[in-house]
Amino acid sequence: MRKAILVLEDGTVYEGYSFGGESTAWGEVVFNTSMTGYQEMLTDPSYAGQIVVPTYPLIGNYGINEQDVESRRIQVKGFVIREECRGPATGRARRPSTSPWPRTASPASPGWIPEPSPATCARPG
Amino acid sequence: MLGLLTSEMTSDEALHQLKDLPRYEAIDYVKEVCTGQLYSWSGNPNDAASKMSHPAARKTAHRDHIVVVDGGVKYNILRILHGLGNSVVVVPCTSSAKDILKLKPDGVVFSPGPGNPALLGYMEEAMKGLVGQKPVMGICLGHQILGRAFGGRTFKLKFGHRGGNHPVKDLISGRVHITAQNHGFAVDGEMLKGDLEVSHVNLNDGTVEGLRHKELPVFSIQYHSEASPGPRDNVYMFERFMEMVRENKK
């Protein structure tokens, strides 16, 4: 895993590791205090132009499913988490991947699971 | 606050680049996320276990025709409206009131969406053209557009409201609802003109969370009645809108 940094405009630097895309993304950094709903957050168009930081520390623990998608693609510019769950446990998950980020998609189906955008994600080391 | 997330640059390079970037509040993100063309929502065959389907309404034929103005709509709004027995059509954010009225809607919903509502004069114009013509419901960004159409100012909150447990008081019933929220801007209720009044306030910071018209079938909420993610307690807002639509048809 490659090192990644989150740099704020006031000069604060947070170090972590990238999971998902390895690239560069910028946006308004915002936090969300919900305890669940990372799939809805990732696909909510209201997060366009934003890097989202969920305050709930564990992300990915119930995988990604076909019902909870809120638009046709990932909308956040970036996602910053404390800990990535590598073994999601739920019957609804269609993507028991090691990452909450879906890896395939079939756009023909209205319930398709969106591809990651070029966004970069980071978690602390 | 702007931030840059990178696995390619050094912190000095990132900081340097951050200085040259446009301000978040100066970019119209709505045009980036909204649909380019009109489409109808016919429900989702893969979504049999639709989280918000309404069992009572599902068996009935489509009753009302709802047009959703897409400023960055979430599917759950479409799922709920469809689940309540409506035919649902989604139109681009740039649609004029005339474009929308041509579709002969029984009611119009202005969707949530990203960014600064002050940049969306074109949606404000559409809102002005529809109020008084058709029942209108605004959600989140749609609420801010309604506020602005009635002379209200919108401003950026220091941190924004994003989460699943924001208490909101309905000033008419006195009841407090736990709501899902995702907004960085809010309506200042002070400058509202006409017969628009504040109907809901946030109990954490007192900001405006809902508006309603004293005479016309027009209301809006700043929070997310469609939940997703969040408490489903506020889905009744859609039922309230449908009551308005049916009343208006009489």
Side-chain angles (χ1 to χ4, degrees), chain A residues 15-88:
Chain A
E15 288 182 13
Y17 290 90
S18 70
F19 71 100
E22 289 188 349
S23 58
T24 297
W26 63 272
E28 187 185 44
V29 183
V30 298
F31 59 85
N32 182 304
T33 58
S34 284
M35 294 176 75
T36 63
Y38 52 83
Q39 186 176 336
E40 290 92 330
M41 283 180 220
L42 292 169
T43 57
D44 182 345
S46 290
Y47 286 118
Q50 293 176 325
I51 293 170
V52 179
V53 186
T55 56
Y56 190 72
L58 183 64
I59 295 296
N61 47 329
Y62 52 89
I64 293 283
N65 64 57
E66 290 175 358
Q67 287 86 41
D68 291 346
V69 58
E70 286 297 323
S71 70
R72 50 188 190 82
R73 62 181 163 96
I74 298 232
Q75 303 282 2
V76 301
K77 288 274 189 179
F79 208 50
V80 178
I81 64 172
R82 177 71 187 84
E83 185 181 344
E84 170 195 7
C85 174
R86 288 160 178 269

Side-chain angles (χ1 to χ4, degrees), chain A residues 2 4-5 7 9 22-29 31-34 40 44 50 67-70 109 120, chain B residues 1-8 18 23-24 46-47 51 74-76 79 113 156 162-164 182 228-229:
Chain A
R2 251 166 98 170
I5 47 172
V7 182
E9 59 182 323
E22 289 188 349
S23 58
T24 297
W26 63 272
E28 187 185 44
V29 183
F31 59 85
N32 182 304
T33 58
S34 284
E40 290 92 330
D44 182 345
Q50 293 176 325
Q67 287 86 41
D68 291 346
V69 58
E70 286 297 323
S109 148
T120 300
Chain B
M1 188 178 292
L2 279 188
L4 194 139
L5 190 53
T6 180
S7 55
E8 301 164 327
L18 272 169
R23 304 302 307 167
Y24 167 81
N46 291 340
D47 203 11
K51 293 186 294 186
K74 286 164 69 189
Y75 285 168
N76 218 36
R79 290 183 191 115
K156 199 166 194 302
R162 297 179 185 84
N182 174 13
S228 206

Side-chain angles (χ1 to χ4, degrees), chain B residues 35-56:
Chain B
T35 181
Q37 53 197 18
L38 175 151
Y39 65 92
S40 60
W41 180 267
S42 51
N44 184 340
N46 291 340
D47 203 11
S50 174
K51 293 186 294 186
M52 299 293 174
S53 62
H54 198 272

Side-chain angles (χ1 to χ4, degrees), chain B residues 108 110 127 130-131 134-138 146 217-220 241 244:
Chain B
V108 181
F110 277 73
M127 176 69 86
L130 289 165
V131 166
K134 296 289 172 187
V136 175
M137 174 179 185
L146 179 67
V218 173
F219 75 94
S220 67
F241 182 58
M244 248 178 198

